[in-house]
Structure formats: C-alpha cells, structure tokens
Amino acid sequence: MLNVTDKQKEDKIPPLLRLGFRPFFLFGALYSCLVIIIWSGLYTHPGMVSLTVPSLWWHAHEMLFGFSMAIVGGFLMTAVQNWTGVPGTRGSKLFAIFSLWLLARLSFWVDVPVWASLVLDTLFMACVAWSLGYRVVVTKRQRNYIFIPVLAIAALLNALSYGALLGEVAPPINQVWHSTLLWFMLLISVMGGRVIPFFTEKKLGIQVSSTPVWLERAIIAVFVLLIGVTLVSGTDNMVARGLLLTAGIAQCVRLYCWKGWKAYQVPMLFSLHLFYLFLPFGLILKAVVINPWASNLIWHLFAIGALGGVVLAMIARVTLGHTGRNVYQGPAVSWLFYALLISALVRVFGIWFWPVYTLELVAVSALLWTISYGWFAVRFGPMLSQARADGAAG
C-alpha cells in the first residue's frame, strides 16, 4: 500500500470512507445476500413481495449491475491509487458515489420512473470511470487505459437492459444478460492475468510461465467479438460456438501456465485458481452442449463459479491486505470457498441431472451463497469499517 495520503487529514475521515473497497465490498456482499434471499423466495412464491419491475429482470440486473458492479467499482477505485500513486477517491466524494449506487438499488422498491433508476446507475458508473480514468490519464499509465472503454461497454449494456425492459431496444433481454456476464468474464480475464500469476510467484517462490503478449491480446479480442455476437444473435450459432471454444482453449492454456495446482495448501491463493477454472470450463461447455435447456443452466457456472467465486476470493484477499493484515494469516476461509463452489455445482449440475428437484436445489444453492457472502460480511465487516490494523492510511 503506497503512502500517498496525508495521515492527519485521513484520520478525520470515517474509516468506512477512506478507500473505495471499504463501503462497496461490505455493502455489496450484504446486498448480494439480500437479493439472493428475496429471489429465492420469489422463485418458489411469485408475488411474495412487490417490485416496480419484473422479479426475474430485477434478480439478473441486481446481481450484475447491483452487486457485481459495486465490487468492480470498489476494487478499481482502490487499485488505481496503487497503479498511479495518486490518492484514491475518499471522504465525501466516495460517499456521494456510494449514495448513487444505494439510491439506484432502493429505486426499485418505490414508485419512481424506470428512467430514474437508469440515470442513477449511469451516474454511478460514470463516477467510477472518472475516478479511475482521470488518474490513469494524468499519470499516463497507458497499460490501464483499457478500463475506460471497458467501463463504457458496461454502461451501454446497462442502458440496453433498461431499454429491453421498456421495449425500446431490439436485443432480447436474455442476450443482454448473457453479454453482460461475458463482459464480467472479460474483466476477470484481464485482472486475473495480472494478479493471479503474480500472487502465485510471490507466495510459492516459483517461476510462472508468462503468457505470450499476442495470446493475451487475442483473448481480449475474442471476448469483445463474443460479447457483440451474443448481444446480436445469442450463443446458439456456429460463430458464437467457435468463439466460445477458442476462448475456452486459450484460457486453459493460460491457466495451466499459472501452475495453480502447486497452491493447493494455500486456500487464499488456491481459491483464485479454482474459481478461475470455471471460466474456461464454462466457455467450453457452452460451446459443445447443444441442448438449449442444459446450455442455459451453464450460465450459472459463470455467474456463481467464476464471477461469484473470483470476487469472493479477491475481496477477502484485498480486505486483509488493504487493512494492514497478513493476507495468509487471516480468518479461516476454506469452508467459505467450498460452500460457494458447491453452490455453483448444485445450481448447474444438480438441476441438470435431477430437474425434478429444481425448486429445492435452487434454494440450496441460494442458501450456500448467502452463507458464504454473509459470513464474509460478518467476519470481514469490522475490518472494512475500522482503521487499518497497522495504523497506516487507507
């Protein structure tokens, strides 16, 4: 953690608002539990609660643009300080950005126009993009320019989700959700390629083979094409299947180079490799599974396994590191990761093989997610809401 802040000024800021990861990790995790609990109830008892939008749309949107985007925003607004040496967004500015996110979430429960929710969401993402973009441009960190157009794509996909809800855009809503999931897979691919091999080398003291630059660029290009094809025509076509298979094989090669199997005795590190495995696994399965019903289940390998898993492993690690603690001497986390792993497998393969128990298996998967993220909030929440253990700024 770079010492780029005035400690006396920092001490006047509530700890929860001293860096972006603090409010967004804590409330993002809590919000995911709330969404999952409500959705699980609505899945078995439609109409149980009253929303201003369709419940299925709300569930998908809030897990992607509510929970997941909160984590992404918190992570990027924290990481950019290390990337650039420029103090990150904090204090009243951070509170304002967090308030935009929170108001957007609350807007679905009160009688306001749908466009108001869209405006709040868009302002939130624009603020995150500015918080990141301004710093990397001013300091000429060209390697991180990629996040500016990547966030712009996310804002576009979010706008399309509202447009589909209002019947104003052509792409079916499922294609918007699937494209958004693939956007998150692109982000995980970019960030995973930067941090997972680095963490592995540093902790295990081994040399990890670097992925050729051309392959890294090709993976990004394939993902961008895949997002576009999925948005326009879905994934049940030869072009999409070819891109899925290509991306999946490339990710397998990449993951093999990272030598994750050597980290099996280090849960905080091994979890990153394990959950990242859901990315190539899901891509290849999507490419080869023809049955539409089974193919649709596979999306939850991305949603719970890759996205939910990598996020959980990263926020646990970042919370420990950025609150002045030893990353590998924190609370016991193995069972927490295993619970989420089982949640993903139950949600996909449990229902695939035993569809007669769909309602029960959805409830089990939801419970396991809630236990995992709920425990994170309970155990890591005090770290996020208190000053750093080492007395440093941040």
Side-chain angles (χ1 to χ4, degrees):
M1 184 71 179
L2 296 176
N3 186 19
V4 296
T5 59
D6 185 325
K7 187 65 168 60
Q8 288 186 334
K9 291 182 178 179
E10 173 105 350
D11 288 341
K12 297 178 182 178
I13 301 172
L16 193 61
L17 297 176
R18 290 182 184 176
L19 264 181
F21 77 99
R22 290 178 173 273
F24 285 109
F25 284 10
L26 176 57
F27 288 96
L30 287 171
Y31 187 61
S32 78
C33 296
L34 180 64
V35 173
I36 289 294
I37 290 170
I38 293 174
W39 168 245
S40 180
L42 289 170
Y43 193 83
T44 54
H45 300 90
M48 182 182 70
V49 295
S50 178
L51 286 159
T52 58
V53 293
S55 59
L56 180 57
W57 185 96
W58 175 80
H59 166 66
H61 184 272
E62 290 306 276
M63 289 306 292
L64 294 171
F65 292 107
F67 155 66
S68 301
M69 197 59 69
I71 302 300
V72 169
F75 177 84
L76 290 177
M77 287 191 292
T78 300
V80 72
Q81 177 170 285
N82 282 357
W83 295 342
T84 65
V86 179
T89 303
R90 65 195 66 233
S92 59
K93 292 180 181 179
L94 178 57
F95 179 73
I97 297 174
F98 175 75
S99 296
L100 288 171
W101 174 82
L102 182 60
L103 288 171
R105 313 287 65 85
L106 295 174
S107 68
F108 297 114
W109 297 94
V110 294
D111 188 18
V112 298
V114 171
W115 63 260
S117 303
L118 170 59
V119 169
L120 289 167
D121 260 340
T122 303
L123 285 173
F124 162 65
M125 283 188 274
C127 287
V128 171
W130 173 259
S131 179
L132 171 85
Y134 171 77
R135 289 168 173 81
V136 299
V137 170
V138 166
T139 57
K140 296 182 172 60
R141 296 298 193 270
Q142 296 183 8
R143 184 173 184 241
N144 298 310
Y145 285 3
I146 186 175
F147 293 107
I148 300 173
V150 164
L151 287 171
I153 293 172
L156 173 61
L157 289 167
N158 183 50
L160 288 174
S161 73
Y162 282 97
L165 174 65
L166 297 171
E168 300 292 337
V169 299
I173 189 61
N174 278 346
Q175 289 173 203
V176 177
W177 299 142
H178 298 162
S179 297
T180 304
L181 257 179
L182 291 171
W183 178 88
F184 278 106
M185 296 304 102
L186 167 61
L187 193 63
I188 286 173
S189 178
V190 171
M191 293 308 303
R194 294 187 179 190
V195 302
I196 296 177
F198 171 74
F199 291 157
T200 304
E201 284 187 337
K202 188 176 179 181
K203 176 59 180 175
L204 302 183
I206 62 174
Q207 183 67 40
V208 174
S209 302
S210 58
T211 310
V213 174
W214 68 265
L215 182 57
E216 294 289 341
R217 292 175 177 173
I219 288 173
I220 293 174
V222 169
F223 261 119
V224 172
L225 285 172
L226 183 57
I227 291 169
V229 169
T230 302
L231 187 61
V232 172
S233 57
T235 54
D236 190 18
N237 57 76
M238 292 304 295
V239 174
R241 291 185 187 279
L243 291 170
L244 285 162
L245 187 59
T246 301
I249 293 172
Q251 291 286 354
C252 284
V253 172
R254 196 174 184 229
L255 190 56
Y256 177 79
C257 290
W258 296 346
K259 302 179 181 178
W261 62 89
K262 294 188 176 182
Y264 72 96
Q265 290 184 322
V266 188
M268 193 63 76
L269 177 60
F270 185 63
S271 60
L272 287 169
H273 291 273
L274 180 63
F275 287 123
Y276 193 95
L277 179 61
F278 277 93
L279 177 50
F281 183 38
L283 289 168
I284 292 173
L285 271 184
K286 282 295 297 180
V288 300
V289 173
I290 305 298
N291 182 282
W293 176 78
S295 180
N296 193 55
L297 289 174
I298 294 169
W299 288 112
H300 278 89
L301 286 180
F302 298 119
I304 303 175
L307 180 54
V310 171
V311 161
L312 186 61
M314 279 300 299
I315 63 177
R317 183 187 187 94
V318 170
T319 297
L320 290 169
H322 282 267
T323 58
R325 294 170 171 83
N326 188 313
V327 170
Y328 299 105
Q329 294 179 3
V333 292
S334 298
W335 72 270
L336 176 151
F337 297 139
Y338 286 130
L340 197 63
L341 173 68
I342 296 170
S343 174
L345 297 177
V346 164
R347 184 61 181 82
V348 177
F349 297 107
I351 295 174
W352 191 337
F353 295 117
W354 297 283
V356 69
Y357 298 110
T358 294
L359 293 179
E360 292 83 357
L361 292 171
V362 166
V364 169
S365 178
L367 177 62
L368 290 169
W369 174 291
T370 304
I371 289 172
S372 295
Y373 274 90
W375 187 89
F376 168 84
V378 169
R379 192 64 183 84
F380 287 72
M383 303 179 197
L384 293 165
S385 56
Q386 297 172 6
R388 284 176 60 107
D390 59 2

